[in-house]
Amino acid sequence: MNFELTERDAQTLFGMIWQGSHEEAARGEVKKVISLMEALRQKAVAAVGEDGGEYEHSGLIGISRNDRPYGFRYLVALPAALAAHVSHEDMRGHDFPRMSFATAWHGAEDGDVFSHYQSMSDWIEAQGLQWARRVLHHREEYTAPAILQGAPVLRLMMPVEKS
């Protein structure tokens, strides 16, 4: 598994929050919100028209906050450049500061996402860094279109800071 460090600039992400247990997420409940947001992403790309070609491959962004016993909240957001082209009554803006992340691409053949995150956590520690969970716990960047059937394909990201 190849891990690297990357930065994400401060940004406002527009999306919807799913909240529930890890068991509900494992049963696919969170995929309902991801699917709805993917439909909105495709609608936004179409609304942009020919000028939207550069955004066609901009996938959804998932932000996880493990801030409740036995569960978590998961923001599913549109890329910022597309958010202005669609609306939904449940979409809200969420501000995030500039952050550093440990990242890895998770392909369909890479097995369990949680195991991949554990390997990333071990790598973070070996680099003399620590998992910075004040703002968020995980960021995930989906392919476009988001693959919701079968094994997940996405960029896994954990916020980090110096120990």
Side-chain angles (χ1 to χ4, degrees), residues 68-85:
R68 56 203 54 219
Y70 311 108
F72 64 104
R73 289 185 295 157
Y74 193 69
L75 167 65
V76 183
L78 293 171
L82 293 176
H85 300 282

Side-chain angles (χ1 to χ4, degrees), residues 7-157:
E7 302 285 323
R8 290 293 181 264
D9 288 332
Q11 61 187 165
T12 300
L13 297 175
F14 290 87
M16 293 181 214
I17 293 179
W18 175 87
Q19 63 183 14
S21 69
H22 297 285
E23 292 79 18
E24 289 170 315
R27 287 194 309 264
E29 292 298 316
V30 69
K31 288 183 180 180
K32 293 174 184 175
V33 174
I34 298 169
S35 180
L36 175 57
M37 290 302 296
E38 175 59 27
L40 290 173
R41 187 198 69 79
Q42 291 177 18
K43 183 177 178 180
V45 169
V48 174
E50 289 182 20
D51 295 334
E54 66 184 279
Y55 302 120
E56 187 174 345
H57 300 291
S58 297
L60 298 174
I61 300 162
I63 302 290
S64 181
R65 297 210 43 174
N66 301 345
D67 59 355
R68 56 203 54 219
Y70 311 108
F72 64 104
R73 289 185 295 157
Y74 193 69
L75 167 65
V76 183
L78 293 171
L82 293 176
H85 300 282
V86 293
S87 65
H88 188 281
E89 63 187 16
D90 294 329
M91 279 181 55
R92 303 281 182 273
H94 304 269
D95 296 322
F96 295 94
R98 179 178 176 85
M99 299 178 74
S100 298
F101 292 91
T103 68
W105 183 254
H106 182 85
E109 69 285 351
D110 288 330
D112 182 61
V113 169
F114 297 109
S115 295
H116 204 156
Y117 271 125
Q118 183 58 54
S119 297
M120 185 183 292
S121 181
D122 296 341
W123 181 84
I124 289 167
E125 187 175 321
Q127 302 305 305
L129 300 169
Q130 65 183 12
W131 185 12
R133 296 174 272 208
R134 288 181 308 281
V135 176
L136 59 95
H137 288 87
H138 301 101
R139 177 181 171 125
E140 297 172 337
E141 296 177 347
Y142 291 82
T143 59
I147 298 171
L148 300 177
Q149 304 303 322
V153 177
L154 64 163
R155 178 180 308 280
L156 306 179
M157 306 175 77

